[in-house]
Amino acid sequence: MKKEKKRMSNFQDVLYRFSKNKVSLIGVAILVVLLLVIIFAEQISPYQYGIKNNVSERLQGPSAKHWFGTDGYGRDIFTRVIHGAKFTMIIALPATLFAQAFGAILGALAAFYTKYVDGILMRILDVFQAIPGTLLALAVVAALGTSLPNLVIAMMISRIPGAARSARAIMLLLVGKDDIEAARAYGSNDWQLITRHVMPNALGPIIVDLTINLSAITLQVSSLSYIGLGVQPPTPEWGVLLSEAREYMQIAPHTILFPGIAIMLTALAFNLIGDGLRDALDPRLRD
């Protein structure tokens, strides 16, 4: 009971210090709005308005009828932007979660078995990390195709090396601590040490790393769609909207402005939350 009370106290302390970071709360507010938009997108503006061509209304500027204006096919950009959030997050969220989970497992194995596994594993990851993440994702998409599951796999593979290295660095600091050695002396095997002692203590930094990776993958998904190797038109993913707006950006800048702002705000929100969590979880900043 005493241990549980202390754990709740630590959680409340982290939550309190995070809530004192006003800039990070802006990120939370943006993220909450994004989640509400994804959940209620169909009620806000039906998906059909975002894919139905209406050439007579093409390239209209923002107005009461079309809040963000229309694109080159007369489709409502506001509708396409809010539904685009769903398609971007459908790829970014699972890709980041899987990459972070696999990275944590690989990092734990490397940190615990430094004699053999660490050297082999890190050299393999070095090979993958030597390839820029976007280029690696491009190669995977080119090999597998441009379906949504393949995009998730491509984003995940491109982020696993970095996630594994971050997790390894965190867990190397934890493995040598006295409580881990005490648990080992009491007969805990490696699996129990990893799951009951190391992983829970590494969870905070891993969550911070996850928010930063979410920002990077959001940009990466849009980049792939922009060059035609991500989500395919007429699906209203944000990168697709930017790609379609290229030829109209000089005569109708609104076509590229609003999707660009959506991408920027989403990436910014994840970065702000990550910075706030890093400060809140940093033991050196505690009183």
Side-chain angles (χ1 to χ4, degrees):
M1 288 293 293
K2 200 170 182 181
K3 188 176 180 182
E4 186 178 351
K5 187 176 179 182
K6 185 179 179 182
R7 189 179 301 166
M8 276 300 281
S9 174
N10 288 337
F11 173 76
Q12 290 172 345
D13 179 53
V14 169
L15 192 63
Y16 172 75
R17 288 191 293 116
F18 180 83
S19 67
K20 298 296 285 183
N21 191 326
K22 304 302 182 186
V23 176
S24 296
L25 292 180
I26 294 173
V28 173
I30 295 172
L31 186 59
V32 168
V33 171
L34 178 67
L35 291 174
L36 291 174
V37 163
I38 292 173
I39 294 169
F40 299 107
E42 192 64 26
Q43 286 72 33
I44 296 170
S45 184
Y47 181 70
Q48 185 181 359
Y49 295 160
I51 59 172
K52 184 179 179 181
N53 295 349
N54 187 357
V55 181
S56 62
E57 295 187 354
R58 65 191 300 268
L59 299 178
Q60 290 188 3
S63 64
K65 184 178 181 182
H66 302 289
W67 290 0
F68 292 176
T70 60
D71 65 8
Y73 297 94
R75 298 173 298 197
D76 184 65
I77 294 176
F78 174 73
T79 305
R80 290 178 67 75
V81 167
I82 63 173
H83 284 278
K86 175 178 65 178
F87 289 101
T88 300
M89 290 299 107
I90 278 175
I91 300 169
L93 281 172
T96 307
L97 291 172
F98 283 126
Q100 214 66 42
F102 281 120
I105 293 169
L106 294 176
L109 292 175
F112 257 79
Y113 304 106
T114 53
K115 276 190 178 179
Y116 305 106
V117 177
D118 185 37
I120 296 170
L121 195 56
M122 287 302 105
R123 298 300 76 76
I124 294 172
L125 292 177
D126 283 343
V127 173
F128 283 97
Q129 207 162 18
I131 307 170
T134 302
L135 186 59
L136 182 58
L138 277 171
V140 175
V141 169
L144 298 180
T146 56
S147 66
L148 285 178
N150 290 343
L151 287 171
V152 172
I153 293 171
M155 297 296 107
M156 179 185 71
I157 291 174
S158 70
R159 286 289 152 183
I160 285 177
R165 279 202 166 277
S166 297
R168 173 182 174 271
I170 295 163
M171 293 180 191
L172 277 174
L173 296 174
L174 298 172
V175 167
K177 286 194 170 182
D178 293 340
D179 57 337
I180 302 296
E181 294 302 322
R184 194 190 297 275
Y186 274 100
S188 297
N189 58 38
D190 289 346
W191 174 251
Q192 291 171 329
L193 290 173
I194 292 171
T195 55
R196 296 180 185 177
H197 299 278
V198 175
M199 285 285 193
N201 289 318
L203 192 60
I206 287 173
I207 290 174
V208 173
D209 197 40
L210 185 145
T211 59
I212 304 302
N213 276 331
L214 264 173
S215 173
I217 288 183
T218 299
L219 296 173
Q220 205 169 33
V221 169
S222 298
S223 299
L224 287 181
S225 297
Y226 181 80
I227 62 176
L229 286 175
V231 177
Q232 298 300 301
T235 305
E237 197 275 326
W238 289 337
V240 172
L241 269 63
L242 292 178
S243 180
E244 292 175 340
R246 281 180 297 183
E247 57 183 302
Y248 308 115
M249 59 186 300
Q250 292 186 342
I251 60 173
H254 67 274
T255 57
I256 204 167
L257 176 64
F258 293 109
I261 290 174
I263 295 170
M264 180 195 71
L265 287 177
T266 302
L268 178 65
F270 288 129
N271 279 325
L272 292 178
I273 292 170
D275 289 342
L277 286 173
R278 181 183 291 114
D279 293 343
L281 291 164
D282 191 343
R284 292 170 299 181
L285 300 178
R286 296 182 184 177
D287 296 331

